[in-house]
Each structure stands twice: as structure tokens, then as C-alpha cells.
Amino acid sequence: MFDIGWSELVVIGVVALIAIGPKELPGVLRSVGFWMGKVRRMAAEFQGQFQEAMREAEMSDLKKHADDLNNAAKQLTSDFDPYDTFKESNAAKSASDTASASAPQPETGTGDIKTVSTPDPSQVAAMPDAPRAPEATVAETKTPESASPPPEPVRREA
């Protein structure tokens, strides 16, 4: 703090011993130590209050920034109408549905139950990547004993 080395302290001690005298030197050193401690405590208290004021100022700046972001978000959402967005997406969807009427499209039913339209078999044959139902074998089909077994299905290899 004051950049006083050991040599300077020895000089100050010798001068204090000569000026004050050996009888009163311990009392003077005690009072100097007391006042130095008091000054250090006051400096630490001041520094703590200063740091706390800096933290409060920083927190108020952060709060102001957060409030500004919140207000900006409210302004953006005040212009947002989910129903209009839903109508626009459905309009675009129905336009694309009419453009591709030959492909099978799911239809919505009432409530939680949804129905799906089945495509025409000629359309399915025209679709190269259309999923096919697994073909049953003779062992999997259950027929009455008096009935003749069904003919072997024709297997197609991809």
C-alpha cells in the first residue's frame, strides 16, 4: 500500500524509540495498531458497499434488458394469430391436395377417429414404391377339411 520496506520500518522504530521513549512506546504502538485496524475495517466496509452497488447496478441493467426482450416478444406475439396461421396452412394444404388428387390422402374423421381413403388398385399398381401386403401361404390359411385348398399364390420378387 505505502510500499514501506523493512529498512524503512527499522528507521521509523529507532526514531520513535528516541522521540517517544521506551516507557510510552508500547502504548503508542497499541493505539497506532488500533487505529490502523479501524482504518482497514472502514476501507473493507467501503469496498464491500461499492461492490454491492456495482452488483445492484449490473442486476438492474440485466433486468432492464430482460424487460426489453419481454416487451419485444409481446409485440411480436400480439401480431401473431394462430387461427390465421392455421387457415393459411390449411389453404396451402388443400391447394396441394387438389394438385395431387391421384395419390391417396388421409381424410380426417370426427373426434379422435380418423379414416383413410383406400386407393384404386390400378393406382397402386402404378406406384412403384407402394407398400404391399404380405401374401399368405397355404399353411397360414385355415380352411375346412371338406374344402379344397386354395391355389398357390404367385410370388413376385423385387
Side-chain angles (χ1 to χ4, degrees):
M1 186 167 134
F2 293 113
D3 198 24
I4 298 175
W6 286 105
S7 60
E8 288 94 1
L9 285 175
V10 170
V11 171
I12 291 171
V14 169
V15 170
L17 183 63
I18 294 172
I20 298 172
K23 285 185 178 178
E24 295 184 24
L25 187 61
V28 170
L29 290 176
R30 207 175 294 123
S31 64
V32 167
F34 172 77
W35 286 105
M36 288 296 291
K38 198 169 192 178
V39 167
R40 284 184 181 180
R41 282 190 299 274
M42 287 173 56
E45 184 179 333
F46 174 75
Q47 188 176 10
Q49 288 178 351
F50 184 76
Q51 291 293 333
E52 185 178 337
M54 291 296 288
R55 279 191 296 266
E56 287 178 5
E58 186 176 323
M59 289 300 288
S60 67
D61 287 345
L62 287 174
K63 185 180 182 314
K64 182 180 180 286
H65 184 67
D67 289 341
D68 291 344
L69 289 175
N70 192 15
N71 290 337
K74 283 182 182 178
Q75 286 177 346
L76 287 176
T77 57
S78 66
D79 298 337
F80 176 69
D81 187 9
Y83 182 69
D84 287 341
T85 306
F86 179 72
K87 286 192 313 186
E88 290 170 4
S89 67
N90 278 347
K93 189 178 189 182
S94 64
S96 68
D97 287 349
T98 56
S100 62
S102 63
Q105 298 291 326
E107 298 174 2
T108 58
T110 58
D112 291 335
I113 301 172
K114 294 183 179 180
T115 59
V116 177
S117 64
T118 57
D120 185 25
S122 63
Q123 291 176 345
V124 172
M127 294 181 209
D129 296 332
R132 307 258 190 273
E135 297 177 5
T137 61
V138 175
E140 293 174 354
T141 59
K142 293 186 178 181
T143 58
E145 293 173 4
S146 62
S148 65
E152 289 280 332
V154 178
R155 296 193 186 265
R156 295 182 200 148
E157 294 191 46

